[in-house]
Amino acid sequence: MPSTPSPQSSNAARPSAGSQTDWLQLDQQLCFALYASSLAMTKLYKPLLAPLGLTYPQYLVMLVLWEQDGISVSALGQRLSLDSGTLTPLLKRLEAAKLISRQRAQDDERRVDIGLTATGKALRAQAKRIPQELACASACSLEELSSLTQRLHALRQELSKAQASD
């Protein structure tokens, strides 16, 4: 899919002043479409995650750990764009559920590493059904969802760059 020029490099992505579209209508706002979609997605995940005993934020933590077991809390926070104040209670609940263990790194006691327990590793097999169920609920193929995900990652990257340059 061709990439859209960034607003800094071209005016092509900017609405023209004479456009017939009212850019201040709620349904024209990308931020609202993303927000409403995020709410709908989180509601959809709730019954899918209930059999696993996970909330949506806990599921995100587990996804990262299933990719990379033994990650530090700070690296996990960076990956999820969460601060330690938000992450710590999540990790405590996952530890209480015996899905993860937390321990100070031997080489740097300031660092806390997170590891999956055997129960946490086994939970991955149960979670494998979730992407397919999400695809069915969205009426999209896994390929379509993958493409949309890639586009949203690119959007987030551009928005982060714009925020960093301010």
Side-chain angles (χ1 to χ4, degrees):
M1 172 167 279
S3 64
T4 304
S6 69
Q8 293 83 12
S9 63
S10 167
N11 289 332
R14 294 183 184 157
S16 63
S19 172
Q20 296 298 316
T21 303
D22 182 354
W23 291 100
L24 291 179
Q25 289 182 344
L26 182 63
D27 288 340
Q28 294 299 323
Q29 304 303 306
L30 175 61
C31 58
F32 179 70
L34 290 170
Y35 171 75
S37 296
S38 178
L39 288 175
M41 183 74 69
T42 303
K43 285 179 184 178
L44 178 64
Y45 267 104
K46 190 172 184 172
L48 297 176
L49 295 173
L52 297 150
L54 295 174
T55 63
Y56 181 70
Q58 290 170 340
Y59 176 65
L60 297 179
V61 168
M62 295 302 291
L63 287 172
V64 173
L65 292 172
W66 290 328
E67 283 179 27
Q68 183 180 0
D69 195 3
I71 193 171
S72 71
V73 172
S74 61
L76 180 63
Q78 285 179 329
R79 183 77 198 278
L80 294 173
S81 299
L82 295 174
D83 61 37
S84 63
T86 302
L87 200 51
T88 299
L90 275 172
L91 296 174
K92 284 183 178 181
R93 286 191 296 274
L94 289 171
E95 188 174 36
K98 306 213 182 311
L99 297 175
I100 66 164
S101 64
R102 294 182 302 156
Q103 59 187 34
R104 297 243 172 241
Q106 292 182 3
D107 61 335
D108 183 353
E109 66 181 40
R110 296 171 296 175
R111 190 178 80 222
V112 176
D113 291 331
I114 309 300
L116 290 167
T117 63
T119 305
K121 289 176 184 175
L123 195 61
R124 186 178 193 278
Q126 290 178 288
K128 282 189 173 189
R129 65 176 172 70
I130 292 174
Q132 187 63 44
E133 290 185 36
L134 177 68
C136 288
S138 69
C140 294
S141 69
L142 288 176
E143 293 77 21
E144 289 171 315
L145 290 176
S146 178
S147 174
L148 179 57
T149 301
Q150 289 172 5
R151 292 178 66 197
L152 288 171
H153 283 304
L155 174 63
R156 185 181 71 190
Q157 187 175 19
E158 290 301 318
L159 294 173
S160 294
K161 279 193 239 177
Q163 184 180 19
S165 67
D166 287 345

